[in-house]
Amino acid sequence: MIAQSSQLLEPPVNSGLSPAPPKHIAIIMDGNGRWAAERGLPRVVGHENGARALRTVTETCCEIGVGSLTVYAFSTENWKRPAEEVSALFGLLEHFLASELPTLQANNICLKAIGRLQELPASAREALKQTIEQTAANTGMNLILAINYSGRAELEDAVRSVCKEVASGTLSPESFTQEHLQRHLYTSEWPDPDLLIRTSGEMRLSNFLLWQLSYTELYVTPKCWPDFGREDLVEAVRDFHRRKRRFGGI
Ligand code: IPE
Ligand code: IPE
Ligand code: MG
């Protein structure tokens, strides 16, 4: 079990208080393939090392006291990849769920998943469901896996749910608000991310959390995901604490 320690983070300048950790961090775990290619290794080895990085970062987020960590593991566009890579990724997901269960339990982590999970291969879907159930009573950090996820698909699903309410007469178009839509998002139970990290230097969202990232602080590092470790996460959070968030104010 890892004790929570805000000492990992320096207090902001001129403050005697330790900064509050971000409530919610989101990560686009990118660059596994390039990491492997740079080493003359198959892409799947990059994904294996990416899973290792996820364990380290998850543990570090627990130590810092982050409330929720959402990680982009597979997008709805990733089905375009060769069938062998897609199948290796879902195999790795099953392996990750089995091997990480003791770590999740020891750290009191509650596993969740967002995305069109009904379209996952049956065995991966079942493994995910089981691990979610096994960690459901944990009261610590939420680890949210975005799998077969895209922001546009999420909005499509949310709008469809709203349309059904309107069609059934339980909601009038005039009383519809953005808060209403928000309640139909996959992420309705968590606050919007405070910090988005993307590895491997790409400056794009790739269809991740399009609604939720409206006022999220962005942090892009050139490091590929398998190389992103404890110190990198701590540095990203330190950088976040130096930001001045205005939310449209002054
Ligand atoms: C991220 O790494 C993992 C997934 C998208 C599943 P990539 O596989 O996209 O790695 P690059 O971007 O090709 O290097
Ligand atoms: C985003 O990475 C998806 C995940 C990290 C799971 P991609 O590698 O799929 O994104 P693009 O294609 O570079 O935009
Ligand atoms: Mg990529």
Side-chain angles (χ1 to χ4, degrees):
M1 165 90 84
I2 291 173
Q4 284 194 2
S5 160
S6 54
Q7 283 165 2
L8 274 172
L9 302 173
E10 290 161 1
V13 182
N14 297 332
S15 162
L17 302 169
S18 291
K23 287 191 177 65
H24 188 172
I25 295 180
I27 306 183
I28 302 176
M29 309 184 290
D30 197 17
N32 294 351
R34 277 163 284 170
W35 182 92
E38 281 162 15
R39 289 159 180 78
L41 297 167
R43 288 178 62 86
V44 66
V45 179
H47 296 312
E48 285 163 7
N49 282 274
R52 192 179 39 73
L54 177 56
R55 168 191 262 203
T56 307
V57 166
T58 301
E59 287 182 336
T60 310
C61 284
C62 282
E63 285 181 64
I64 290 173
V66 171
S68 299
L69 170 64
T70 301
V71 293
Y72 206 3
F74 191 88
S75 77
T76 55
E77 288 77 34
N78 288 148
W79 295 105
K80 292 176 193 163
R81 297 185 178 203
E84 312 80 68
E85 179 168 344
V86 170
S87 139
L89 281 167
F90 285 111
L92 203 56
L93 171 65
E94 284 187 52
H95 177 78
F96 177 83
L97 293 169
S99 67
E100 295 312 299
L101 184 63
T103 310
L104 297 176
Q105 303 295 35
N107 288 282
N108 197 22
I109 295 169
C110 191
L111 187 80
K112 306 271 188 173
I114 56 171
R116 290 185 170 165
L117 307 176
Q118 66 280 12
E119 293 168 7
L120 298 190
S123 61
R125 199 172 61 230
E126 187 52 36
L128 192 58
K129 183 168 165 270
Q130 270 185 24
T131 314
I132 288 171
E133 284 168 6
Q134 284 165 319
T135 64
N138 290 346
T139 54
M141 188 178 83
N142 298 304
L143 173 61
I144 304 150
L145 303 180
I147 307 175
N148 195 26
Y149 174 89
S150 92
R152 288 186 176 183
E154 178 180 28
L155 288 166
E156 190 178 277
D157 290 347
V159 171
R160 187 179 299 108
S161 303
V162 171
C163 288
K164 283 182 183 166
E165 287 187 33
V166 172
S168 70
T170 53
L171 177 72
S172 72
E174 291 71 29
S175 56
F176 170 76
T177 62
Q178 55 178 286
E179 286 73 26
H180 201 100
L181 186 73
Q182 199 147 4
R183 286 200 289 276
H184 286 277
L185 296 175
Y186 307 148
T187 55
S188 58
E189 52 184 300
W190 308 294
D192 289 343
D194 301 297
L195 172 64
L196 171 75
I197 298 170
R198 183 164 188 154
T199 56
S200 87
E202 305 295 357
M203 302 278 190
R204 54 177 172 262
L205 295 180
S206 301
N207 220 343
F208 192 40
L209 300 175
L210 298 180
W211 177 283
Q212 297 86 343
L213 296 176
S214 297
Y215 270 103
T216 300
E217 296 297 322
L218 309 181
Y219 182 89
V220 177
T221 167
K223 274 201 183 180
C224 287
W225 175 246
D227 283 335
F228 191 86
R230 177 188 173 83
E231 270 313 306
D232 300 298
L233 193 272
V234 170
E235 182 45 40
V237 174
R238 281 200 188 113
D239 189 86
F240 167 77
H241 284 302
R242 291 191 288 266
R243 307 286 179 92
K244 180 111 183 65
R245 303 182 80 185
R246 285 185 288 274
F247 299 97
I250 54 171

